[in-house]
Amino acid sequence: MGGARLESALALLLIHGGHTVGVDALCEAMWGERGVDRSVSTLDSHVWRLRRVLEPGRARGAASKVLVRDPGGYRLVLAGDDATDSGRFVRLATAAADRLAAGDAAGALQQASRAAALWRGRPYGVAADEDWAHAAVARLDAVRAGLRETHIGALLGTGAPEQALGELETALAEEPLRERLWLLRMTAYRDAGRRAEALRAYTDARTVLVDELGVEPGPDLKALHAELLRDDASAPVAAPARAEPSQHLPAARNRLVGRERETAEIAGLVAPGRLVTLVGAAGCGKTRLALEVARETAPPGGSWFVDLTVATPERVPDTVASALELPAPGPVEPADALRRFTSARRMLVVLDNCEHVLDAVAELVEEMLVEGSQLAVLATSREPLEVDGEEVVALAPLTSAAAVELFLDRLDALVPGGVRDDESMADVRDIAEAVDGLPLALELAAGRARAYTLTEIASQVRADASTLSRVGRGRGTNHHRTVRDAVGTSYRDLPQPLAALHRAVGAVPGPFTVDVAAALTGMTTTDAVDGTAALVHRSMLSALGPLRVGGVSRFAQLATVRGHAVHEADRAGEDPAARRDAWVEGLARAKPRLGAHTMASWYAALDDDLASIRATMQRTLVDAPTPLGATLAARLGLYWAFSGMALEGDRWRDAALRTLGAELVDPVDRVLLLLGNANSRLVQGDPAVGRVLVRDALAVAESLTGDDAVIVCDDLAVTTGPLRRVGDAEVLAEVAAATRRLAAGAPELDVVVRHTELVADAAADPRPELVARFAALHDDARAADNLYTAWSAAAGAATIALAADRPDQALPWARATLQASADAGLRDNAYALELYGLTLGRAGEDATALRVLGAAEAQHRAAGVPWPRNEEMSTLLATITTRLGATVADRARAEGARTSLAEFLA
């Protein structure tokens, strides 16, 4: 690998194969506890080295297909179980055991030998002893131990007892307490005709088990011992068949859907002496999954189910003892009786619904899982038990595809034949999305199919998924009678501050940050940080992670949880939406001066809490229009335009002007709304209407003075770009004159005024010497921290150079437009990309030009802008396509459509 750090990084990525590994986790694995202080660039350089090892043939600049970047970290892409040695090892070991159980000893021996050949010492190399690798190493060690037993059993089944005895010597020396190995040793001696040694093996086994564990041999050893004592010559020469494990589990009423991966993962974790806790939100299917795992992994002592739904803390031991069918313990404490009963038995106990008796369950589990215990415990809870050695598995809702499959499965049981037409499937997908893929909600929604159409059910769950309730048998007794009741069991146990936070964040129909949580409750940021983490711990919130590397974490309620929160807020007479609206207004009014370097962080804040912004705009522009709605539509116009959401911005502005009217809109907001709509009409190919809207805005702006006048100058500067592209020199001159008047007394806007005047001058006479003036303005704008003016000035220089047929002079300025756009925090800039692609095409860089123009086309179309936008662009695209060939050209444009502005710069 080229060093221990890369080896550790690869080990961590393999352990979590197919899942994102966070940047901090990778840094800690490579550099220890101080690793989190490493810079992202340092990690990226190591990732680059790692990719060279993993993909030695990858072309320079090509995207990695094996180690990909996700929000917040990196993910190793694995194509099936055989993509890694460990995956292939587990698959082969499992297949060998299955074949032996089916009586195919020869096939089992072949598979077991192939699996054993993959074992090359401790897994994961130098990382094997790290804390984060212990569980993965232990899992593979356990598989290897089982494989060894399978291999020995297969040798016996194929008539090779002496070879089996040779392997058993080594195996028992390493693991003398594995009873199965002693059973195989006795069987091998018996099959080899060495009866006396087989009996002595039983005596040795009993001595070890009694001395070390204080337990007698199990029933299989005793049965074989009795057979040997009888010296029954007719006994078959084969390993004794193991009795089918008993299962004390509720019957499964229907099949488990969409949980194949989780079932295999949890089954691999369940082992003697271990606690595995399955955590997740109410209704996500923890109980059903735990029962499936218990059926598949039932050990010799059987699987047992304990429902703790109605248990009180003091009655937890008695409830467990009763479920395990223990007789009354007399003077012995129930916990002691349980420990004695379970410690020597290879059994699995499922403890279901632990959340409301958490401390009592944790204490009991600690008493039962003593050193050397053969008991395995699988718990379900909405928060971890926090017992030493606990393996916590967080269960998320179903994926979209699995949610649709589950709904259709339950629907088919109610409506034989089901539905599969396009309209019905669209409703099914709506239902699955509206309930966030929550299995309980999907089943309850399907239960309404006898009474309502799918379209009606979709409408009902979109309105409030938490109102879904069970119909038919079991309505009054099932603890999940309604979705709202299921959430309510967690809500009732919340301390008052957490309950208030739960109710408040219901006002956000999507992801939110801690800043919003604090604003909605009036908490300090510190209290909001702690409270949010506590709700995540209790599965009342989902942690989504940051949108970008270095960004802030975001959180969200499931739709069913949010429905409960809104209901409880109404009952309490609270209006958290009002606090949300006030916070959104503050964020909108905090918009920095256009082009300032702080615009990037402002755009990021808007991205992070976009759900809150949209909810407030819906309320203040559609549900109950107020002047605040117009202010938001006006002040956020440039955000929509420069974030790939231009059409959404159009809808909000139109709603503001249509529903509120001129008399209810503040003059500043009205100017901004008119300019925003003017820009849209100009770029969408309607210059006549755009020109009228610009002049309407200038007429309103004549009454503005002071700070109000300064505010609109930024948007006037933006208008010059679309006006320049349609060649409207007359209106540009009017905009330049208005900007100079409005910016009087604001020296920080000097570059803005110069910019509007220079653009107007260039529109009237695009002479080559203007390149130098645009270049000087670009440098001055950067010095003045006005990145918008910088990229617009660079675009002006490139445009004038192209007009003079100087693509070599235009190219660095076209690239400067991209750089300034990225520095200003813009994710996309269709016009900067269009100019850059056009310049590359004019310079003969055909393939690169098409990639860039593919990105520009995708962004233009998303904003409703016609493409190609003019005859020059149409001609250029046709010429390059002819030179490269249609197939290559189409591939380049498609690749470009998936490439960001920042990636082009890189």
Side-chain angles (χ1 to χ4, degrees):
M1 291 303 304
R5 287 179 181 145
L6 288 186
E7 190 169 339
S8 295
L10 180 57
L12 183 61
L13 290 162
L14 281 166
I15 287 170
H16 298 280
H19 299 276
T20 302
V21 177
V23 168
D24 287 350
L26 276 170
C27 289
E28 185 173 349
M30 296 172 72
W31 290 286
E33 293 181 356
R34 297 293 297 170
V36 294
D37 296 330
R38 297 278 174 167
S39 69
V40 173
S41 61
T42 304
L43 174 62
D44 287 345
S45 68
H46 284 75
V47 169
W48 178 81
R49 293 172 55 200
L50 188 56
R51 282 173 170 156
R52 290 186 62 188
V53 176
L54 296 173
E55 298 175 280
R58 181 165 60 95
R60 183 179 181 87
S64 175
K65 297 181 179 178
V66 176
L67 181 54
V68 301
R69 184 66 186 260
D70 283 340
Y74 290 89
R75 172 169 50 89
L76 197 63
V77 178
L78 302 178
D81 291 342
D82 280 8
T84 61
D85 290 342
S86 57
R88 187 160 59 255
F89 172 73
V90 172
R91 181 182 63 77
L92 290 170
T94 303
D98 291 343
R99 290 200 176 193
L100 185 62
D104 180 10
L109 183 61
Q110 182 184 32
Q111 297 283 63
S113 299
R114 289 174 60 196
L118 292 170
W119 191 269
R120 298 188 296 272
R122 296 203 72 197
Y124 305 118
V126 297
D129 293 322
E130 297 294 335
D131 290 343
W132 48 264
H134 282 173
V137 172
R139 286 195 293 273
L140 289 174
D141 282 340
V143 174
R144 188 208 179 198
L147 172 67
R148 185 156 54 184
E149 294 175 1
T150 300
H151 189 252
I152 294 169
L155 288 171
L156 294 175
T158 54
E162 295 295 344
Q163 187 178 348
L165 284 168
E167 291 201 19
L168 281 162
E169 288 296 327
T170 303
L172 277 167
E174 293 177 4
E175 299 184 276
L177 300 180
R178 285 186 76 92
E179 189 170 328
R180 177 68 177 161
L181 291 175
W182 287 107
L183 178 65
L184 291 169
R185 188 176 201 179
M186 289 176 64
T187 304
Y189 278 131
R190 184 201 65 185
D191 292 354
R194 299 157 66 175
R195 175 175 169 274
E197 289 170 284
L199 290 169
R200 187 163 54 249
Y202 176 83
T203 303
D204 293 342
R206 184 179 184 278
T207 300
V208 170
L209 293 172
V210 171
D211 289 350
E212 296 295 328
L213 301 178
V215 299
E216 290 288 334
D220 288 344
L221 274 176
K222 288 181 178 179
L224 182 54
H225 182 236
E227 176 194 314
L228 291 166
L229 289 173
R230 290 193 304 269
D231 194 19
D232 185 356
S234 65
V237 184
R242 298 179 66 180
E244 185 70 21
S246 60
Q247 295 191 357
H248 305 265
L249 306 171
R253 293 182 300 170
N254 41 46
R255 73 182 184 96
L256 182 65
V257 176
R259 295 296 193 190
E260 293 79 7
R261 180 185 61 79
E262 292 90 342
T263 301
E265 176 188 356
I266 299 165
L269 296 175
V270 173
R274 174 179 287 174
L275 164 66
V276 179
T277 304
L278 187 55
V279 301
C284 68
K286 301 183 293 296
T287 300
R288 182 68 181 83
L289 178 57
L291 289 172
E292 189 74 13
V293 172
R295 289 189 182 90
E296 290 194 5
T297 62
S303 295
W304 304 73
F305 179 79
V306 184
D307 186 358
L308 297 172
T309 304
V310 296
T312 58
E314 62 275 6
R315 293 288 299 168
V316 165
D318 289 328
T319 303
V320 176
S322 176
L324 269 55
E325 302 174 5
L326 266 66
V332 180
E333 287 293 324
D336 292 336
L338 284 167
R339 183 176 63 252
R340 295 178 186 179
F341 177 76
T342 60
S343 62
R345 288 176 169 80
R346 283 286 305 279
M347 59 190 299
L348 169 62
V349 174
V350 177
L351 301 177
D352 191 41
N353 294 300
C354 299
E355 54 272 352
H356 68 289
V357 285
L358 209 63
D359 292 340
V361 174
E363 292 174 7
L364 179 62
V365 169
E366 286 179 326
E367 291 191 48
M368 292 169 67
L369 292 181
V370 294
E371 185 71 26
S373 175
Q374 295 297 293
L375 170 68
V377 177
L378 176 57
T380 74
S381 178
R382 294 177 196 174
E383 57 183 298
L385 272 61
E386 298 186 346
V387 171
D388 286 345
E390 177 184 27
E391 188 82 36
V392 178
V393 178
L395 184 63
L398 294 171
T399 63
S400 297
V404 168
E405 182 185 358
L406 174 62
F407 185 88
L408 291 174
D409 181 84
R410 304 306 188 250
L411 184 66
D412 286 343
L414 294 170
V415 185
V419 290
R420 295 295 187 274
D421 60 273
D422 291 344
E423 184 177 350
S424 297
M425 287 303 298
D427 287 331
V428 171
R429 286 189 288 271
D430 284 349
I431 293 167
E433 180 181 355
V435 301
D436 291 324
L438 204 68
L440 172 64
L442 288 164
E443 295 193 348
L444 297 182
R448 297 186 174 190
R450 286 197 178 117
Y452 299 102
T453 66
L454 292 177
T455 301
E456 289 173 314
I457 296 172
S459 176
Q460 291 162 7
V461 295
R462 279 197 299 267
D464 185 356
S466 73
T467 61
L468 287 166
S469 60
R470 192 174 299 281
V471 296
R473 189 168 61 86
R475 176 179 171 85
T477 58
N478 192 291
H479 68 286
H480 282 165
R481 186 175 62 84
T482 72
V483 174
R484 188 174 291 167
D485 288 346
V487 179
T489 58
S490 295
Y491 174 74
R492 286 190 289 273
D493 292 334
L494 293 178
Q496 191 281 326
L498 294 186
L501 179 58
H502 163 73
R503 297 192 301 271
V505 297
V508 185
F512 61 87
T513 63
V514 166
D515 285 346
V516 170
L520 290 171
T521 57
M523 288 181 170
T524 65
T525 300
T526 299
D527 288 343
V529 167
D530 293 342
T532 302
L535 289 180
V536 171
H537 184 75
R538 289 166 169 81
S539 302
M540 299 285 281
L541 278 180
S542 300
L544 305 180
L547 269 176
R548 70 198 69 79
V549 175
V552 298
S553 291
R554 300 172 307 132
F555 308 88
Q557 291 174 319
L558 294 174
T560 51
V561 177
R562 185 167 60 253
H564 176 276
V566 172
H567 175 73
E568 291 298 323
D570 287 343
R571 288 181 57 189
E574 298 169 342
D575 184 16
R579 289 194 172 195
R580 177 202 65 205
D581 296 349
W583 182 85
V584 169
E585 180 181 7
L587 181 60
R589 290 188 181 278
K591 181 181 77 170
R593 190 187 71 249
L594 179 65
H597 71 280
T598 51
M599 284 290 286
S601 59
W602 186 69
Y603 281 143
L606 295 173
D607 287 341
D608 289 334
D609 282 305
L610 186 55
S612 292
I613 294 167
R614 283 172 169 157
T616 291
M617 297 189 77
Q618 174 71 23
R619 183 160 111 143
T620 57
L621 282 177
V622 180
D623 299 339
T626 69
L628 173 59
T631 296
L632 297 177
R635 307 300 169 105
L636 299 177
L638 296 183
Y639 168 70
W640 306 114
F642 291 136
S643 297
M645 295 178 280
L647 294 179
E648 182 173 351
D650 289 348
R651 290 195 298 271
W652 292 127
R653 283 190 299 271
D654 288 344
L657 292 169
R658 181 179 63 253
T659 59
L660 292 171
E663 68 279 1
L664 296 178
V665 178
D666 177 85
V668 172
D669 293 339
R670 183 162 179 78
V671 172
L672 299 180
L673 291 170
L674 290 170
L675 289 175
N677 280 350
N679 287 334
S680 288
R681 299 304 183 274
L682 288 167
V683 301
Q684 290 169 6
D686 194 354
V689 173
R691 182 183 300 110
V692 170
L693 289 169
V694 171
R695 283 177 164 152
D696 286 347
L698 294 178
V700 178
E702 288 181 0
S703 64
L704 300 180
T705 58
D707 291 341
D708 289 345
V710 169
I711 289 174
V712 303
C713 288
D714 284 342
D715 289 64
L716 278 171
V718 173
T719 307
T720 61
L723 286 170
R724 180 183 63 199
R725 284 187 286 274
V726 299
D728 198 328
E730 182 181 347
V731 178
L732 276 169
E734 295 173 19
V735 169
T739 304
R740 175 166 290 282
R741 181 187 65 77
L742 292 166
E748 69 275 11
L749 295 182
D750 176 63
V751 292
V752 176
V753 174
R754 288 169 53 196
H755 165 251
T756 57
E757 292 178 337
L758 184 52
V759 171
D761 191 7
D765 182 10
R767 52 197 183 280
E769 56 265 29
L770 292 182
V771 171
R773 289 178 60 189
F774 274 117
L777 178 59
H778 168 270
D779 295 344
D780 291 347
R782 274 200 168 270
D785 188 27
N786 193 317
L787 292 165
Y788 172 79
T789 299
W791 80 254
S792 185
T799 301
I800 296 295
L802 282 178
D805 198 21
R806 292 291 307 274
D808 55 328
Q809 183 185 23
L811 195 55
W813 289 113
R815 189 169 178 82
T817 64
L818 297 189
Q819 188 63 60
S821 299
D823 292 344
L826 305 186
R827 290 194 304 272
D828 298 311
N829 187 335
Y831 297 101
L833 287 168
E834 179 185 337
L835 178 61
Y836 185 40
L838 176 63
T839 307
L840 287 167
R842 294 275 294 276
E845 300 285 345
D846 289 350
T848 306
L850 275 186
R851 286 180 63 238
V852 176
L853 292 174
E857 176 184 3
Q859 292 174 32
H860 275 315
R861 291 192 186 280
V865 178
W867 182 266
R869 291 201 316 109
N870 51 48
E871 186 174 347
E872 179 186 15
M873 182 61 68
S874 181
T875 301
L876 177 67
L877 289 171
T879 300
I880 295 178
T881 299
T882 300
R883 286 200 294 255
L884 293 180
T887 302
V888 174
D890 289 346
R891 187 183 306 122
R893 289 164 71 171
E895 180 184 348
R898 299 188 298 269
T899 307
S900 70
L901 185 151
E903 288 170 326
F904 283 121
L905 281 171

